[in-house]
Amino acid sequence: MKIITLTLNPAFDVHCGIPHFEPFHENLAVITAREAGGKGVNISRALTLNGVDNLALVVLGEENGSDFKRALDADSMKYLEISVPGRIRENITLHADDADETRISFTGFDADDSLISRTEAVLLPYANDDCIITFTGRVPSGISMESVKSMLREFMERGAKIVIDSRSFSKDDLIEIKPWLIKPNQEEISYYLSREIESFDDTLLAAKELNSLGIENVMISLGSKGALLVCSEGAFTAVPPKIEAVSTIGAGDSSIAGFLAATKLEKSPEEALRTAVAYGTAACMSAGTRPPLPCDVEAIYEKISTNKL
């Protein structure tokens, strides 16, 4: 099975360290990491590091796209590119010893529906019943949701399985498309259903509701408590061991990677959930948006408890 990730709105994730942060004054910081990021890129990087073949399609701004490609090459990623005028955006996160982290996000290149047409043209030859295509992250400003949904429907009509992890989609959008997999957290599931989802029982009911409306796999991340999966084979939970988290950035993307990695090996839904939680938890043990290390994935996998509800 071919796994393809789509990143329409990539970013450079720049992490800086500083012992003392003083607002309204000049602060001298040290860059601790500069990663080529974006949710689809994060999924592909996690798969690649863990030996799972995949292909990333990335939209690159012409002004700094070469830097982005060098970062992808350094991680031995396989990718296709679409070039557009402008710059890839940057997200700067300031980690201070004595203050909460501060994040500054810059705008990137402009986009319109012609980008969706170009993306569809590149991916259509790959779309078949032996392919999974991920659509993750927000729909870039200037691109209509209708053009995105039209593209995803075209992929599905050719047999491709679609993964969506994006707050740009409403509940009605998800019901219309009926993706193969979604991975919201409890905050996002509350947004989709327009009601507060706080308790585990509420979360389970919400997942069952979305599954009954045609979404084949509803995987809801529960933070340090693991994840819940509702699918045609039932409802499952996976609980990881306690760890010392270094960074939770990109953990959700890694959990998607784990689910896809297990699916590629034709594992059961329960095993796919277990692998997803292993990837996501292991990602929290790496700094910044770095992917989970295979040794950490393996060690955590053995300690995860799963349960069919």
Side-chain angles (χ1 to χ4, degrees), residues 206-239:
K208 288 182 175 179
E209 178 180 341
L210 290 173
N211 175 251
S212 71
L213 293 170
I215 301 173
E216 188 171 341
N217 295 284
V218 180
M219 181 170 64
I220 301 178
S221 56
L222 305 173
S224 62
K225 297 179 181 179
L228 163 72
L229 173 68
V230 173
C231 61
S232 61
E233 295 191 17
F236 304 89
T237 59
V239 181

Side-chain angles (χ1 to χ4, degrees), residues 2 46 49 69 80 86 90 97 103 105 118 140 175 179 186 198 220 248 257 284:
K2 189 73 174 179
L49 183 61
K69 290 196 292 183
L80 303 171
E90 292 183 314
D97 293 343
R103 188 174 175 88
S105 296
R118 295 174 65 188
I175 294 171
Q186 286 176 299
E198 296 180 344
I220 301 178
T248 60
C284 295

Side-chain angles (χ1 to χ4, degrees), residues 57-72:
L57 174 59
V58 187
V59 179
L60 300 175
E62 293 172 352
E63 293 180 20
N64 56 353
S66 58
D67 289 343
F68 203 92
K69 290 196 292 183
R70 276 193 289 272
L72 300 182

Side-chain angles (χ1 to χ4, degrees), residues 127-148:
N128 55 47
D129 58 6
D130 194 40
C131 174
I132 298 175
I133 299 175
T134 71
F135 189 101
T136 53
R138 292 185 181 273
V139 174
S141 177
I143 292 179
S144 69
M145 181 57 69
E146 288 306 313
S147 68
V148 172

